[in-house]
Amino acid sequence: RTLLESTQYLFPPLSFRHQTPKMLARRFAQQTSFLAARQARSFAAVGDKIPSVSVDLGFPPQKVNVAERTAGRKTIMIGLPGAYTPVCSEKMVPSYIAKQAELKAKGVEEVLVISVNDGAVMKAWGKDQGGDGTMVTFLGDPKSELTKALDLVFDAPPILEIFGHSRCKRFAMVIEDGKIKAMNVAGGDIPDEATFAEAMLEEL
């Protein structure tokens, strides 16, 4: 559905014979406000529900529906550009493994790590990171289905040149009963550190 079709769906046409100038002005303002909101918002936001999309756990991959996985509990989901990449391997993921006790004390039951990699890569990377037996679960999003559903596709030219295709932006979100309660997306004025465990503990 196009943006125009979306506005027509939300604001179905009425006969102009039954609308006063004031009514028409109000209607135009509603449509303009809706379009501006759609254009200004570039990714998932606080208050949104987690989309019902499946990602891959292990290999052969088991399908994990993230909406179901996060329902009725407090979870942190982090997304990153790629397994085995420097910042992800040396800082971001280790921060969550190191802060498990503090996260659990705040009521977090699980940390989901999402990357545009297959389940086999994520399983191997999780083992290398010391994630086995921890509260940190490594999940692959090989087709970018979750990444796209969250509107967090990372397709800047340098990323395409390095990886050959789009990846996931670096983000971290607190999820309570399937709904986003806090969220940080790195980029621009937002440093990578805003997505590390120390920063997310302050959001809990």
Side-chain angles (χ1 to χ4, degrees), residues 50-151:
I50 293 299
S52 182
V53 177
S54 293
V55 289
D56 293 351
L57 172 64
F59 194 85
Q62 300 175 30
K63 293 297 180 181
V64 174
N65 183 289
V66 290
E68 295 175 1
R69 187 84 169 204
T70 58
R73 61 210 297 250
K74 183 184 290 186
T75 312
I76 288 179
M77 181 188 295
I78 65 174
L80 36 84
Y84 292 103
T85 53
V87 174
C88 305
S89 294
E90 298 170 9
K91 297 180 179 180
M92 189 176 184
V93 171
S95 75
Y96 287 92
I97 292 176
K99 295 294 183 179
Q100 289 181 83
E102 292 94 324
L103 292 168
K104 289 178 181 178
K106 295 279 190 175
V108 177
E109 295 185 34
E110 186 175 28
V111 177
L112 305 176
V113 180
I114 307 294
S115 180
V116 181
N117 291 105
D118 60 67
V121 168
M122 293 301 285
K123 180 180 179 180
W125 186 43
K127 184 176 181 179
D128 289 349
Q129 286 288 301
D132 288 355
T134 71
M135 68 186 300
V136 183
T137 303
F138 293 75
L139 301 166
D141 185 24
K143 297 180 181 178
S144 297
E145 292 173 314
L146 178 59
T147 300
K148 290 175 182 177
L150 293 171
D151 243 344

